[in-house]
Amino acid sequence: MPGQQDASVFRIPPYHYLHVLDQTTNVTRLETGPQTFVRKDNEVVLLNPERMITVPPRNYCVVLNPVLRDADNQVLLDNLGQVRLQHAEDEVRLQQEPFPLYPGEELKLKVTLLTVVPALEALRLKVSRDFTDTNNQERKAGDEILFEGPGTYVPRKEIEVVGQHKAIVIKPNTAIKLRATRETVDRNGKNRVAGEEWILKKYGAYLPGVYEELVESCTATFLTDKVAVHVIAAQTFTDETGKQRKSGEEYLITVNEMETFIPDVYEQVVGKVNITTLTNRQYCVIVNPIGESGKPQLGAKKLIKGEISFFLQPGESLENGIQEVFILGDNEGIVLKAQEAFKDPFVTPPVDRQPGDKWMLKGPMEYIPPVEVEVVSKRRAIPLHENEGIYIRNTNTGQVRAVIGRTYMMGEDEELWEKNLPTIVRTLISAQRDTAADRGDWINPNKEKKKKKDDLEDEEVFDASRVVTFQVPHNAAVQIYDYKSKKSRVTFGPDLVMLGPDEHFTQLSLSAGKPKKANMIRAIALLLGPDFSSDVIVVETSDHARLQLEISYNWHFEIKDKENSQESSKIFCVADFVGDLCKAMASKIRGAVSSVTFDDFHKNSAKIIQLAVFGTDQETRKPRDVIMFPANKLVVTSVDIRAVEPVDQRTRDSLQKSVTLAIEITTQSQEAAARREAERIEQEARGKLDRQRIMDEAQAEKARKELLSLQAESSAVESTGQAKAEAISKAEAARIEAEAGVQGARLRAEAQKIETESELERMNAAREADIRFAIENNNIEIDKAEKMAKIETEKFNQMVTVLGKETIQAMASGPQDHQVKMLQSLGLSSTLITDGRTPINLLNTAGGLLGNMTQGSLAQ
């Protein structure tokens, strides 16, 4: 019990012990029970009674600094009586009788169950110091031992447990790869050196040795008729089939050699190889095939025709994979090229082909090219409508021609030729664009450059090898120039134009906008009109008034003989006829306006501009109706002045003032007429109003007379009824007041009663609550007193029980027994000690003594 080292008496139960230090000799001894130990004054109890250590069966404990024992298992003591210890040593103690710990001994490891190693498991042990085991085998520090189950491992102080291993279960079609960590002998009795690896394929449970480690678990690859394994040898060795493999050799393992394959230590699996199957309509070419000697024929090729199945050997590869047999129909052909000299058996009679020869085979037929032949292309006859065509180029001569309106198959020395057209022309001839309806959409090259994505998409769709066609709309013309013959032709619509290989469209770059800007519109079809063009020009009158005019011109091209190519080509002589027309008209109008004043031009603007544009006839001296440009046969039929606006701000303000003044004059005249009409209407209304007012006054006087008579009658009635109403109201008020007083007295009495009853109920409830509180408080105090008395009684009983009857008796008689023993040690048989103040009766003392003597003498 802690805290009892200062006690004098220690009761040591059975199988308990304590340590006692003799302060005189400084020797600590062991006291074991059962006994009652009385401590001397020069002794100190270092350890209270502790239970001895009990090691049950199949358990152990470790004691640090164990005592030395002789051959009879007796504890050895030194010259001073102190037990001798093995300092810094450990002792493993197994099942035995309960034992105490001697002074200096410590329990390093509490009682622990022995480790049971089941079957297929083992403990990995490491020797920490040299010793000789039970088999007289010397063990060196650093050695490792494997304790294999089933069994119970009994610890030793020279060995420590490093870990626990489990057996590896090798299932069918699996294997494990092991590596030796140092020189050892495996379970098959074969010596292994450090770093050596080997494969174990025997299925069952395998427990690696202490110097063996598991590298990896291998799973067998199942070989079938359709799967093989590509293997490479890491070093020279002999495989399972008895074949010697050289280092770096690559080979194929198929189902013909084994059903399942587990790679050896010196084998590396490159991968699985699937079988290559060819139908009767397929073939393939193997590059670097394996010869009859088993060696690869580098640079060679081998043709394999279906129907067949085979595995590609290591180093072999398929050129262009599995290929289909060329099946040619009536309108199909194949272009071939010889890679090396050979004899061609596909033609009758056979022909000797030289490297670089090209020829073409036409269907119907089946063809498998030999390894000496390269298939350049497969061709099909191109069906063409009468309005369709293609460009064909001869690869030998370079000549380009157009084939139109018939089914055509190109020869071996022909190819499709793509005509180079500008992007703007491709846009203009697009089938999605209507030349006449979309003429308001300007096609500007600068804007087209910003649409590269759209252009790329157009290029992908546009087939440049097809003959370029363009549908010339009605009342339009297209000029085509042949750069080879250096001649041009003009086609009038509606018609379909088809370009030859050397022909190109003549592009028109027209002005557009207000005012006109050059190169704003691109076109290849020239509309013949009638049509109009609008322009904005600035003119200046003779009195320096600057005006901005918006004018529209109606025009058309006048061609009398469309069959005459010379006359027809004149309409394309002026590239920008719109800009030329507007500039010429603007020049004439500026000259005419500069000679007149602003007022004259403002009054006669249409006449002045028409005269300036069309001029006068030399013979009749009358204004002409039309004007023709002989260079391109352009005819202007009319001029429309759409708007006139001053450019100068002062002129614009003056014009605005004059217009405003004219508007004000007109407004004032209209206001005066309206004012006179309003005055006349007002006079008529005033006369009608006066007459009506007189009539209303007469009616009012008549109504007032009737009102006065009614007021007199009502005043008489009113004076009589007022007195009666006052008397009735006073009586009613007195009655209501009396009833209200009685009702108030009744309500006050009821309120007083309610207050008195509520106060009485509150006082009764308070008194009852105080009584209940006092009763409950008294009950709690009584319970508390009873429980405290019971606790004190139980405490006293437990103290008496703990101390024991003998202990209490010994404590009570201890001083008297001590005095008796002291007197006995002095040789006194009896004694009497008093303090001198207490009287002592000695009358019977001598009698007692004499009585004893008398009885003794009588006995004699």
Side-chain angles (χ1 to χ4, degrees), residues 126-171:
K126 185 175 183 180
V127 179
S128 59
R129 64 176 74 177
D130 299 346
F131 76 99
T132 302
D133 60 9
T134 56
N135 298 328
N136 293 327
Q137 183 177 357
E138 292 185 359
R139 300 289 186 181
K140 300 293 183 180
D143 289 347
E144 293 185 356
I145 308 172
L146 211 61
F147 181 81
E148 301 180 9
T152 302
Y153 171 68
V154 179
R156 293 180 61 102
K157 64 181 181 180
E158 300 88 359
I159 298 176
E160 59 182 5
V161 179
V162 178
Q164 187 172 3
H165 291 179
K166 292 185 179 180
I168 302 171
V169 179
I170 305 175
K171 299 180 181 180

Side-chain angles (χ1 to χ4, degrees), residues 111-130:
V111 177
T112 306
L113 188 66
L114 290 172
T115 303
V116 177
V117 182
L120 303 180
E121 293 187 10
L123 290 178
R124 189 180 185 90
L125 309 176
K126 185 175 183 180
V127 179
S128 59
R129 64 176 74 177
D130 299 346

Side-chain angles (χ1 to χ4, degrees), residues 52 57 132 203 236-237 308 431 433 470 517 564 585 613 643 649 661 791 839 860:
M52 293 183 181
T132 302
Y203 57 87
T236 303
F237 75 104
I308 190 173
R433 178 178 175 81
F470 179 68
K517 294 181 181 179
N564 189 347
M585 295 294 115
V613 169
Q649 185 64 33
L661 183 59
I791 291 170
Q860 293 178 358

Side-chain angles (χ1 to χ4, degrees), residues 41-331:
D41 293 340
N42 62 337
E43 293 177 342
V44 176
V45 176
L46 300 179
L47 183 66
N48 290 327
E50 295 285 344
R51 183 180 295 277
M52 293 183 181
I53 299 173
T54 302
V55 182
R58 304 189 65 79
N59 284 265
Y60 74 101
C61 67
V62 179
V63 178
L64 180 63
N65 305 325
V67 297
L68 290 174
R69 299 179 183 269
D70 56 9
D72 298 331
N73 202 23
Q74 297 297 322
V75 178
L76 299 180
L77 304 176
D78 57 8
N79 297 332
L80 300 177
Q82 181 76 35
V83 294
R84 297 175 59 186
L85 302 176
Q86 302 179 39
H87 292 284
E89 285 288 344
D90 295 336
E91 181 180 351
V92 179
R93 297 182 183 179
L94 303 175
Q95 177 188 359
Q96 55 182 292
E97 292 295 327
F99 62 90
L101 290 178
Y102 283 87
E105 289 184 335
E106 298 178 10
L107 189 61
K108 184 177 181 180
L109 179 63
K110 295 181 179 180
V111 177
T112 306
L113 188 66
L114 290 172
T115 303
V116 177
V117 182
L120 303 180
E121 293 187 10
L123 290 178
R124 189 180 185 90
L125 309 176
K126 185 175 183 180
V127 179
S128 59
R129 64 176 74 177
D130 299 346
F131 76 99
T132 302
D133 60 9
T134 56
N135 298 328
N136 293 327
Q137 183 177 357
E138 292 185 359
R139 300 289 186 181
K140 300 293 183 180
D143 289 347
E144 293 185 356
I145 308 172
L146 211 61
F147 181 81
E148 301 180 9
T152 302
Y153 171 68
V154 179
R156 293 180 61 102
K157 64 181 181 180
E158 300 88 359
I159 298 176
E160 59 182 5
V161 179
V162 178
Q164 187 172 3
H165 291 179
K166 292 185 179 180
I168 302 171
V169 179
I170 305 175
K171 299 180 181 180
N173 297 324
T174 60
I176 58 173
K177 182 185 289 187
L178 302 174
R179 180 189 297 123
T181 57
R182 55 178 285 185
E183 294 184 359
T184 184
V185 179
D186 62 8
R187 296 189 180 276
N188 297 326
K190 187 174 181 180
N191 293 327
R192 302 291 184 182
V193 297
E196 182 180 356
E197 295 182 356
W198 68 95
I199 291 287
L200 188 62
K201 300 181 180 179
K202 183 179 180 181
Y203 57 87
Y206 180 79
L207 187 64
V210 65
Y211 297 120
E212 299 174 2
E213 64 177 356
L214 177 66
V215 179
E216 63 177 345
S217 297
C218 304
T219 303
T221 302
F222 292 90
L223 304 178
T224 62
D225 296 337
K226 298 181 180 180
V227 178
V229 179
H230 182 192
V231 183
I232 183 172
Q235 68 180 48
T236 303
F237 75 104
T238 302
D239 61 6
E240 294 181 5
T241 60
K243 296 181 181 179
Q244 186 177 9
R245 304 294 185 181
K246 300 294 183 180
S247 178
E249 180 181 356
E250 297 184 17
Y251 49 93
L252 208 63
I253 304 296
T254 62
V255 71
N256 298 328
E257 300 176 5
M258 59 185 71
E259 294 182 355
T260 59
F261 173 71
I262 298 177
D264 197 74
V265 178
Y266 308 113
E267 292 178 327
Q268 295 180 1
V269 177
V270 178
K272 293 183 180 180
V273 178
N274 295 322
I275 195 169
T276 303
T277 303
L278 303 178
T279 64
N280 57 356
R281 317 304 298 167
Q282 293 176 334
Y283 74 97
C284 66
V285 178
I286 299 178
V287 182
N288 304 325
I290 302 297
E292 297 179 355
S293 62
K295 303 296 181 182
Q297 301 176 4
L298 301 178
K301 296 182 180 180
K302 182 180 179 181
L303 178 64
I304 303 295
K305 301 179 182 179
E307 178 176 346
I308 190 173
S309 296
F310 62 93
F311 288 104
L312 284 177
Q313 297 295 325
E316 293 181 343
S317 61
L318 293 181
E319 184 181 36
N320 299 326
I322 298 176
Q323 304 179 53
E324 300 291 334
V325 174
F326 290 94
I327 301 175
L328 306 178
D330 293 336
N331 295 326

Side-chain angles (χ1 to χ4, degrees), residues 733-793:
R735 185 182 64 79
I736 293 172
E737 184 177 358
E739 291 178 356
V742 173
Q743 187 69 18
R746 186 184 298 110
L747 294 176
R748 284 195 294 272
E750 292 178 357
Q752 184 68 25
K753 181 180 178 181
I754 293 171
E755 290 178 358
T756 305
E757 291 177 354
S758 62
E759 181 66 21
L760 180 59
E761 291 177 358
R762 185 187 65 78
M763 294 178 66
N764 292 335
R767 291 193 185 92
E768 292 177 359
D770 292 341
I771 294 171
R772 285 196 301 272
F773 175 75
I775 293 172
E776 292 178 358
N777 195 12
N778 293 336
N779 292 335
I780 292 171
E781 291 295 334
I782 293 170
D783 292 342
K784 179 179 180 183
E786 290 178 354
K787 291 180 179 179
M788 292 299 294
K790 187 177 179 180
I791 291 170
E792 292 295 333
T793 303

